[in-house]
Amino acid sequence: EAAVTQSPRSKVAVTGGKVTLSCHQTNNHDYMYWYRQDTGHGLRLIHYSYVADSTEKGDIPDGYKASRPSQENFSLILELASLSQTAVYFCASSDWGTNQDTQYFGPGTRLLVL
Amino acid sequence: GDQVEQSPSALSLHEGTGSALRCNFTTTMRAVQWFRKNSRGSLINLFYLASGTKENGRLKSAFDSKERYSTLHIRDAQLEDSGTYFCAAPGTGGYKVVFGSGTRLLVSP
C-alpha cells in the first residue's frame, strides 16, 4: 500500500510566525502536491512538484512556498502565517502519466493560526 | 476551467438505507477518484475509475466519461460510513486534480 506521511499532524501557530509542514512518501512517485481543505470546499492546490529541486505554483500559491529537496520529501512553508491560513493541509503523491495516476494522500495536518 | 459539481452537499441516512452521490463534470474527464474523509480527518481512497463500474463491499461507483458524470452508491449504510465524501478528477492540465466540494454524510441509528 502506498504511504504518504505528514508532520506535524496538528500545529498551533501565531500570526506572523513561520510554519513548515513536512511530507514524506515512500511510493517512488515523481509528483507531489500540497492542498488545503476548508470546510465546505474541496481541496485546493497550493503547490506541486514533479521532480526534486523544482516546485510549481498551483491554484492558490500566495502566502506559501514549497521545497522539494528529494523525491521523497516535499515541504510547505508559511513564512508569515496569517489567520486566513487556518485550514487542514493535505500532501499527496501520484505517479502521473501512468494508467493509474491515483492520488495518494497523507493523513493531513490541522493548522490553527492565532 | 475544469469544474466538478458534487451533490448533494449534505445527506442524512438511517442505518440500513442507501443513497447515491453524484459528480458532474463540465468537461470530459479521463478518470475519477472517490475519497472519504474520516472522523480522524484522513482521506481514504475509495475508488479510482477510468470507465465502467467498481464495487467494494457496500460501495459501488460508476463513471461515464462521455456523459460527464460519476456516481457513488452506498447501500446498507452503517454508522461508520459517516464522513465527508469527495470526488476528484484529473484536469486538462494533466497533473492537476479538480475536486468536488464534498458531501457530508451522516448516518444515524
Side-chain angles (χ1 to χ4, degrees):
Chain A
E1 181 69 26
V4 180
T5 56
Q6 293 180 230
S7 63
R9 293 295 312 277
S10 66
K11 184 173 179 63
V12 179
V14 295
T15 304
K18 182 177 181 178
V19 177
T20 300
L21 307 182
S22 299
C23 179
H24 179 80
Q25 56 108 351
T26 59
N27 306 325
N28 199 34
H29 287 163
D30 289 328
Y31 281 79
M32 295 187 74
Y33 310 79
W34 275 106
Y35 297 92
R36 64 176 283 172
Q37 199 255 323
D38 300 276
T39 303
H41 291 84
L43 280 71
R44 293 180 289 172
L45 181 64
I46 306 170
H47 286 286
Y48 70 98
S49 167
Y50 56 83
V51 68
D53 295 322
S54 178
T55 64
E56 305 293 332
K57 293 181 179 179
D59 297 322
I60 52 166
D62 293 344
Y64 302 93
K65 292 184 179 179
S67 173
R68 182 92 181 270
S70 63
Q71 187 192 39
E72 296 81 15
N73 296 293
F74 191 36
S75 297
L76 185 68
I77 303 152
L78 291 66
E79 294 281 1
L80 296 170
S82 66
L83 296 175
S84 64
Q85 292 177 313
T86 292
V88 179
Y89 292 84
F90 288 96
C91 174
S93 75
S94 73
D95 194 10
W96 183 78
T98 68
N99 290 330
Q100 280 282 332
D101 53 353
T102 303
Q103 297 246 316
Y104 294 92
F105 284 88
T109 295
R110 189 174 298 274
L111 175 64
L112 174 62
V113 182
L114 300 174
Chain B
D2 300 330
Q3 294 279 340
V4 180
E5 298 173 351
Q6 185 171 345
S7 62
S9 58
L11 179 63
S12 293
L13 294 176
H14 289 295
E15 275 186 297
T17 64
S19 188
L21 286 57
R22 184 179 177 103
C23 282
N24 292 323
F25 310 110
T26 57
T27 60
T28 300
M29 302 295 188
R30 57 185 171 81
V32 68
Q33 194 169 358
W34 283 92
F35 304 91
R36 183 179 76 239
K37 188 178 179 183
N38 64 15
S39 59
R40 296 176 60 186
S42 295
L43 285 171
I44 308 300
N45 188 0
L46 299 175
F47 294 104
Y48 177 95
L49 298 92
S51 64
T53 63
K54 284 188 178 179
E55 191 166 357
N56 185 3
R58 295 175 291 99
L59 299 177
K60 181 178 180 179
S61 182
F63 175 52
D64 189 325
S65 175
K66 183 178 179 182
E67 298 299 324
R68 301 182 182 177
Y69 76 91
S70 178
T71 56
L72 177 68
H73 293 261
I74 302 171
R75 63 177 176 82
D76 188 24
Q78 303 297 305
L79 298 178
E80 59 265 29
D81 294 332
S82 294
T84 302
Y85 291 75
F86 294 97
C87 67
T92 54
Y95 60 85
K96 289 181 66 175
V97 176
V98 289
F99 285 82
S101 56
T103 296
R104 294 187 304 280
L105 172 64
L106 176 63
V107 181
S108 56

